[in-house]
Amino acid sequence: MLFSRFKTQLPTPEEALEGRPEPAFAVPERHTVLGNPLLGPYPDGLEIADFGLGCFWGAERKFWQTEGVWTTLVGYQGGHTPNPTYEEVCSGHTGHTEAVRVVYDPAVVPYTSLLKLFWESHDPTQGFRQGNDVGTQYRSAIYTHSPAQQKAAEASRDAYRTVLHNSGYTNITTEILPADNTRPFYPAEAYHQQYLSDAKNPGGYCGIGGTGVSCPVGVAKADG
């Protein structure tokens, strides 16, 4: 099953695994590095952003190292199977991508700055892969939590597409969709959370790498 056609082709809802009504595992209470709650409740004034940019181990580290980020957690998003496991997601039969949820203070780090980090930390033109990591779970994605985020994400994509084209890259394949009840975020297993932290695997595998092309920032206002 791991090498089925669904590694490079998204399943339909009818083809996806059935899943389960409740999570199959527990999630740690607090962030290994930042010390704040993973699942909330979050303090007033903080906002949520969801990104998929390849293997979520290295992707999460990029965000927790950013000033103004209050907590991060990794999980699965954009698929059909409720409460999937890592093995199920990697099979390609759930339709999810590996995602990072970023809880941040917009007074310290605006959403546009997170978008810049997102675009510059991976190659958004590769479809169902990032470097040597191949599969639908490695696709590039932004799941937005407000119309303002959606507008900012689309504007940043359009701006980055221009500079990527000028640098010889093909079209951006990133999906930008609302993080509504049809695309819930399912937290991943405990061992995936802050996987590359000093307390766990500081020298572990990180498949994250950008194009080297700078992304314009501040192309749209993301508050409101």
Side-chain angles (χ1 to χ4, degrees):
M1 187 168 68
L2 289 176
F3 298 98
S4 73
R5 65 185 175 90
F6 291 122
K7 292 295 287 183
T8 55
Q9 178 179 322
L10 288 171
T12 66
E14 293 73 26
E15 293 169 329
L17 296 176
E18 182 177 355
R20 53 197 58 80
E22 299 293 336
F25 47 81
V27 176
E29 180 181 348
R30 293 189 175 272
H31 196 283
T32 303
V33 178
L34 302 177
N36 293 322
L38 291 185
L39 301 179
Y42 306 128
D44 292 342
L46 300 186
E47 297 182 5
I48 296 174
D50 294 332
F51 302 104
L53 54 155
C55 177
F56 51 21
W57 294 342
E60 185 188 19
R61 182 170 59 182
K62 289 281 188 180
F63 288 104
W64 87 53
Q65 293 174 337
T66 301
E67 183 179 3
V69 170
W70 194 79
T71 200
T72 59
L73 63 156
V74 297
Y76 314 114
Q77 199 164 8
H80 308 298
T81 301
N83 295 296
T85 66
Y86 180 66
E87 290 74 17
E88 289 170 345
V89 171
C90 288
S91 78
H93 286 254
T94 73
H96 293 90
T97 191
E98 295 187 14
V100 181
R101 170 153 288 184
V102 182
V103 182
Y104 67 101
D105 184 348
V108 179
V109 56
Y111 185 62
T112 49
S113 294
L114 298 179
L115 287 169
K116 180 178 176 66
L117 178 61
F118 165 79
W119 293 117
E120 294 180 355
S121 295
H122 75 303
D123 182 348
T125 69
Q126 292 193 317
F128 296 139
R129 68 177 299 164
Q130 275 299 304
N132 293 326
D133 294 329
V134 179
T136 55
Q137 77 270 28
Y138 300 118
R139 71 186 185 274
S140 177
I142 303 172
Y143 300 110
T144 60
H145 289 262
S146 69
Q149 281 193 2
Q150 183 78 19
K151 180 180 178 182
E154 291 172 350
S156 68
R157 174 201 59 200
D158 296 345
Y160 199 39
R161 179 168 52 203
T162 298
V163 296
L164 283 178
H165 282 174
N166 291 340
S167 298
Y169 284 87
T170 55
N171 286 333
I172 287 175
T173 59
T174 305
E175 60 184 33
I176 303 177
L177 298 166
D180 56 22
N181 58 9
T182 67
R183 298 176 194 91
F185 177 93
Y186 296 106
E189 292 85 341
Y191 72 95
H192 290 300
Q193 305 298 338
Q194 299 86 61
Y195 181 84
L196 294 182
S197 64
D198 289 344
K200 291 187 175 182
N201 299 283
Y205 170 76
C206 175
I208 296 299
T211 62
V213 179
S214 179
C215 176
V217 71
V219 293
K221 192 175 181 181
D223 55 13

